[in-house]
Amino acid sequence: MPADPRQTLPAHPVAAGASPTTEPIAVRLALITVALAFLALFLVLPLIAVFAEAFRNGVDAYFASFDDPDTWSAVWLTLGVAAIAVPLNVVFGLAASWAVAKHEFRGKSLLVTLIDLPFSVSPVVSGMCYVLLFGAQGYFGHYLQSVGVQIIFAVPGLVLATIFVTFPFVARELIPLMQEQGVSEEEAALSLGAGGWRTFWSVTLPNVRWALLYGVLLCNARAMGEFGAVSVVSGHLRGQTNTVPLQVEILYNDYNFVAAFAVASLLAGLGLVTLVVKSALEWRYADQLASGRRH
């Protein structure tokens, strides 16, 4: 005797395209409205204000703001610091994530905790730590002076401070994905005679390349926009140790508002470009990302 079809159907079937939630439509609209209003108030409006102030006196005044040699010095210094800090963070992120996700060792939880340390420590505090270590009155200050090496109030201090505040980004993008993928493919490669480096370059790295790129984008954006840590170790030497965020502060304090917002628009544009590139990669390589996460 065939079973009663009514016993195999759910009590409240959901029609195709219908929402599975039970809240009234008025509640959902209210939640969406609050979320959009929050984004508009705290994200969109400030961004519009930056560009509006930058172009307040016209396009000519906007480009004239970049005739200052100190501004160009800050731009090139920011690019140089990021060019050093980001590749080093990529190396650290790959090494740390490979060790955490693919191996078992004593102190693994401690390593993961230390990776998250910059998220819980104020950038200003991290800058002060470097001053206490490498400043003129710091623990290593006298030795560094004796050998003619200057870290604080110089480019090396900016690089160290930037590395500290940005090194979690690459590792935090890679560790969850590598843990989800497991070690089956690496074990298969090793069983076929591949060495450790060959396995890493041919198996592990291709499987995480898009997550790695995301981490690089986030790390680069944070490196160029960092203010607190580099403000402590830079000394605010115009044309020498001022990065773009510090130059914006100086221009604003000098009441040169158009130039300050013009330079700030560079950082805002960097954030927008980072967002567009990330979204484009997610759209273009959605299938590869999904398949990589299923391994």
Side-chain angles (χ1 to χ4, degrees):
M1 180 177 178
D4 187 351
R6 291 174 296 182
Q7 297 177 355
T8 62
L9 295 177
H12 300 285
V14 179
S19 174
T21 60
T22 59
E23 293 82 3
I25 187 172
V27 175
R28 282 179 278 165
L29 290 176
L31 292 174
I32 294 173
T33 302
V34 170
L36 293 177
F38 185 89
L39 290 175
L41 181 62
F42 293 100
L43 181 63
V44 178
L45 288 180
L47 193 62
I48 293 175
V50 169
F51 286 97
E53 289 295 322
F55 289 96
R56 181 175 59 180
N57 294 338
V59 177
D60 293 337
Y62 175 85
F63 287 105
S65 302
F66 297 98
D67 291 338
D68 184 7
D70 290 344
T71 296
W72 279 110
S73 175
V75 171
W76 289 116
L77 179 60
T78 302
L79 294 175
V81 169
I84 299 173
V86 173
L88 292 177
N89 280 326
V90 169
V91 174
F92 168 80
L94 284 170
S97 58
W98 195 24
V100 170
K102 306 294 184 180
H103 301 84
E104 294 294 335
F105 56 91
R106 183 173 298 178
K108 181 176 179 178
S109 59
L110 177 61
L111 175 59
V112 174
T113 302
L114 292 177
I115 291 174
D116 291 334
L117 185 62
F119 289 139
S120 58
V121 175
S122 170
V124 175
V125 174
S126 67
M128 287 299 301
C129 292
Y130 286 116
V131 173
L132 292 174
L133 288 174
F134 306 116
Q137 305 301 322
Y139 293 109
F140 304 106
H142 296 294
Y143 171 75
L144 293 174
Q145 286 182 342
S146 65
V147 297
V149 176
Q150 184 175 0
I151 295 180
I152 303 301
F153 306 152
V155 175
L158 301 178
V159 174
L160 288 175
T162 303
I163 290 175
F164 180 86
V165 299
T166 56
F167 75 77
F169 288 96
V170 175
R172 268 301 165 197
E173 285 292 326
L174 296 179
I175 289 175
L177 180 58
M178 284 190 177
Q179 288 177 331
E180 185 178 353
Q181 291 174 347
V183 296
S184 58
E185 293 190 11
E186 284 81 3
E187 290 176 346
L190 292 173
S191 66
L192 294 175
W197 280 111
R198 179 65 182 275
T199 301
F200 174 79
W201 288 108
S202 300
V203 178
T204 305
L205 188 60
N207 284 340
V208 299
R209 60 187 182 277
W210 303 121
L212 175 61
L213 183 56
Y214 292 162
V216 170
L217 290 173
L218 295 175
C219 180
N220 183 68
R222 177 64 190 276
M224 291 190 177
E226 173 56 29
F227 179 85
V230 298
S231 178
V232 175
V233 302
S234 72
H236 295 270
L237 304 177
R238 299 194 183 200
Q240 299 181 41
T241 61
N242 275 339
T243 59
V244 170
L246 301 182
Q247 181 68 11
V248 171
E249 181 194 29
I250 287 177
L251 292 173
Y252 190 86
N253 290 337
D254 289 342
Y255 300 101
N256 193 352
F257 299 123
V258 173
F261 282 102
V263 178
S265 68
L266 294 178
L267 295 177
L270 171 66
L272 293 175
V273 169
T274 301
L275 180 62
V276 169
V277 172
K278 184 176 183 297
S279 300
L281 289 172
E282 288 177 342
W283 172 77
R284 175 65 178 83
Y285 300 102
D287 294 339
Q288 291 91 325
L289 287 170
S291 62
R293 288 185 171 90
R294 286 196 297 267
H295 286 319

